[in-house]
Amino acid sequence: MKKLFLNTILLASLSIFSACDDNEGGTQVDVELNTQILEDFSAHVAQATYNDLKIKASALHDNIVALSLPAGNNSDNLQACRNSWKASRAAWEQTESFLFGPVSTDFVDPQIDTWPVDFHVLENIIKNDDELSNEFIDNLQFGEKGFHAIEYLIFGENGEKLVSEISSRELEFLVALGANLKKLTTELADNWNPANANNYHDVFIESNQREAFSQMVNAMAEICGEVGNGKIKDVYEAKDASLEESPFSKNSITDFTNNMRGVQNVYLGKYTTDGKGLEDLVRKYNLQLDSQIKVKIAAAIAALNTITDPFGKAITTQPIQVQNAINAISDLSEILENDLYVLVQQHSI
């Protein structure tokens, strides 16, 4: 479902100090703007989102620990766990619009977000007496830990699990899973932190600008393809709710919407605070394309918002809305992987 672009990257040396120059093809290149876009993507999008994810995953772990204590084993604390799971999930899903760097090379993505979760294995772990150490959790298969393992344990298969139905062994498992998620999300934030040695921020902003822009645009288009063709279309066409991601929490549509918001964040150069983004590059050279991209992002989000039933149900109860969402996301993917990709290639070196 991930698309790879095989465009040849042209390497060029830079020997100017002015903001503008011409690349080999004679197309205008604003080196200063391009540099600022990469700096601001790292600071205002990647670092900001990963830092938020780290904070929210830590809060999820804290809430799980509170739930595991005898004095805190109540429905209010279970609901707090569910709320913090959704909050951390929202941040994570927005990072999926830039799945490059350590999240990819260190295989963090599959460690924390593999679907389907193997709940048969989870049940076996709960039944046996293995020590649920950090090493044990690290060595679990991808589909046996991360967001969806936690989701299964705190929501249950029907999404209505009672606190009285969570055993002491499940609570112990939850604490270990929460600690692992906290560790991995902390590593992601630390990896992008420019204050740390060997950080990816420096690698990214010092890389060839055309190559860096390619990574950004490809990642945006890839998550659109994954959501539209995989997470939605495959489930819709099979009419098989068992293929749905995030089914226990009924959170799938929110997940998909946050994926699209992540695309928007990368384009605007903004998570909570604003910086220079790809929009500034596009606006400099093609105002019409900038407008079209923004309209298509908004249309994809709006189409998802028309799906009011849980996704596993909506594939049969709201087929028109689901198909409209597939179409809108496909339209967005097309303009990103074609028009936007071409523009950033033309105006970078």
Side-chain angles (χ1 to χ4, degrees):
M1 293 183 290
K2 303 284 189 183
K3 290 190 177 180
L4 298 177
F5 295 91
L6 304 178
N7 305 65
T8 302
I9 303 300
L10 302 176
L11 300 177
S13 61
L14 178 63
S15 58
I16 58 168
F17 295 94
S18 63
C20 298
D21 195 11
D22 289 339
N23 67 14
E24 293 178 351
T27 305
Q28 189 180 31
V29 176
D30 188 335
V31 177
E32 183 177 351
L33 174 61
N34 291 354
T35 300
Q36 193 64 55
I37 290 170
L38 298 183
E39 290 266 9
D40 286 357
F41 165 77
S42 178
H44 292 272
V45 182
Q47 292 174 49
T49 317
Y50 282 132
N51 286 339
D52 190 37
L53 174 61
K54 177 181 78 170
I55 291 167
K56 288 174 176 174
S58 179
L60 171 59
H61 177 249
D62 290 345
N63 284 327
I64 290 172
V65 170
L67 178 68
S68 71
L69 300 175
N73 192 228
N74 55 59
S75 57
D76 287 343
N77 280 343
L78 176 57
Q79 187 59 50
C81 289
R82 291 172 174 173
N83 292 343
S84 58
W85 182 89
K86 290 183 177 182
S88 56
R89 185 77 180 158
W92 165 252
E93 290 299 300
Q94 290 180 67
T95 72
E96 290 198 318
S97 60
F98 47 95
L99 283 178
F100 53 81
V103 70
S104 175
T105 57
D106 295 346
F107 301 102
V108 179
D109 176 22
Q111 289 187 73
I112 67 178
D113 195 27
T114 290
W115 176 260
V117 65
D118 194 336
F119 58 84
H120 297 297
V121 173
L122 298 184
E123 291 294 343
N124 287 333
I125 293 171
I126 293 165
K127 291 174 183 176
N128 66 33
D129 58 359
D130 289 327
E131 180 186 358
L132 300 175
S133 63
N134 292 335
E135 182 180 8
F136 178 85
I137 302 299
D138 283 337
N139 290 330
L140 289 176
Q141 298 297 310
F142 293 157
E144 300 164 7
K145 56 186 174 180
F147 275 111
H148 294 301
I150 295 172
E151 179 193 15
Y152 173 72
L153 291 173
I154 63 176
F155 286 92
E157 282 192 71
N158 63 3
E160 299 176 356
K161 193 170 189 176
L162 301 176
V163 68
S164 60
E165 297 173 326
I166 304 177
S167 68
S168 59
R169 175 68 173 180
E170 287 178 294
L171 289 169
E172 182 185 2
F173 193 17
L174 271 169
V175 171
L177 290 169
N180 183 258
L181 184 66
K182 176 181 176 180
K183 178 188 74 170
L184 291 170
T185 54
T186 298
E187 288 174 1
L188 284 176
D190 291 345
N191 283 333
W192 277 86
N193 187 341
N196 295 331
N198 302 316
N199 66 82
Y200 190 73
H201 164 82
D202 289 346
V203 173
F204 179 73
I205 65 170
E206 292 170 9
S207 63
N208 174 270
Q209 290 187 345
R210 181 175 288 166
E211 196 168 347
F213 284 143
S214 295
Q215 279 189 303
M216 292 168 66
V217 178
N218 286 349
M220 295 162 70
E222 285 167 2
I223 192 57
C224 289
E226 182 176 346
V227 173
N229 295 324
K231 295 183 179 182
I232 300 179
K233 187 177 181 180
D234 285 353
V235 182
Y236 172 63
E237 291 188 344
K239 294 294 187 287
D240 185 355
S242 69
L243 301 175
E244 176 191 4
E245 190 178 25
S246 300
F248 313 125
S249 58
K250 307 294 189 294
N251 205 60
S252 299
I253 296 300
T254 301
D255 283 356
F256 307 155
T257 304
N258 280 318
N259 288 149
M260 296 303 102
R261 290 199 176 103
V263 171
Q264 186 175 56
N265 296 344
V266 175
Y267 186 68
L268 298 180
K270 175 181 179 180
Y271 182 61
T272 54
T273 57
D274 201 3
K276 293 291 184 181
L278 292 173
E279 71 157 338
D280 294 282
L281 180 63
V282 179
R283 286 177 61 82
K284 183 178 179 71
Y285 302 109
N286 192 332
L287 282 171
Q288 182 179 16
L289 178 59
D290 173 64
S291 177
Q292 290 172 335
I293 292 172
K294 289 173 178 174
V295 166
K296 290 183 185 297
I297 292 172
I301 293 172
L304 287 166
N305 286 338
T306 66
I307 304 172
T308 54
D309 284 341
F311 180 59
K313 182 180 179 182
I315 57 176
T316 55
T317 62
Q318 296 182 307
I320 294 174
Q321 291 90 330
V322 172
Q323 186 61 60
N324 287 342
I326 293 170
N327 295 343
I329 295 170
S330 177
D331 287 346
L332 173 59
S333 179
E334 184 176 353
I335 199 171
L336 296 176
E337 66 189 35
N338 294 316
D339 302 74
L340 179 59
Y341 188 85
V342 168
L343 185 141
V344 300
Q345 290 287 294
Q346 288 176 338
H347 298 286
S348 60
I349 55 174

